[in-house]
Amino acid sequence: MGAEEPYRVLLIASLKRVRQLLRMKSTLPEASFRRRFALKGEGNLIGRIRQFLKECWSELKLTQRPKKQEVISYSMAVLFVILAAATYLAVLDFVFARIFAFFQR
């Protein structure tokens, strides 16, 4: 127990410093400012879940959604790549089927 004591003191001091830093004013959005460590046994589970969901919602509000034209162009690019890959695989299937049919005669 005696050898573990300095580490325990250091850990407690570190956690106090982290809590101090988290209480400081920040230029980040409100959700980032309100974040804090959920230490074992600190707060109730329902409260922490509610806080987590509030922060998730506020982060979602900050996201930038694509415009309609961007969605259309990205969708067309994906469809083109899928059709190109399907065509490539169909040609390979046809060629190998002919080659194997030739050797089976």
Side-chain angles (χ1 to χ4, degrees):
M1 281 287 223
E4 295 175 358
E5 192 63 32
Y7 296 112
R8 187 171 182 223
V9 170
L10 181 62
L11 177 64
I12 291 171
S14 298
L15 290 176
K16 285 181 182 178
R17 178 65 181 145
V18 168
R19 284 182 180 171
Q20 256 182 350
L21 290 173
L22 289 175
R23 282 190 214 116
M24 293 172 56
K25 292 276 184 187
S26 173
T27 59
L28 296 175
E30 184 179 329
S32 297
F33 174 71
R34 287 185 291 130
R35 284 197 185 113
R36 51 193 260 288
F37 276 132
L39 300 175
K40 189 173 185 177
E42 181 183 53
N44 62 3
L45 180 62
I46 301 299
R48 291 194 321 233
I49 291 173
R50 186 177 294 137
Q51 182 68 27
F52 173 75
L53 292 175
K54 282 180 185 178
E55 290 177 8
C56 286
W57 186 252
S58 64
E59 289 291 331
L60 275 174
K61 288 179 182 178
L62 298 176
T63 58
Q64 181 180 2
R65 293 181 173 71
K67 306 284 188 253
K68 182 179 179 180
Q69 188 59 38
E70 289 175 332
V71 171
I72 291 171
S73 64
Y74 295 152
S75 299
M76 294 301 285
V78 168
L79 288 175
F80 175 76
V81 170
I82 289 172
L83 289 175
T87 304
Y88 177 72
L89 291 175
V91 168
L92 281 179
D93 182 46
F94 179 75
V95 169
F96 282 118
R98 292 292 180 164
I99 291 173
F100 288 130
F102 177 75
F103 285 117
Q104 283 184 349
R105 289 186 193 174

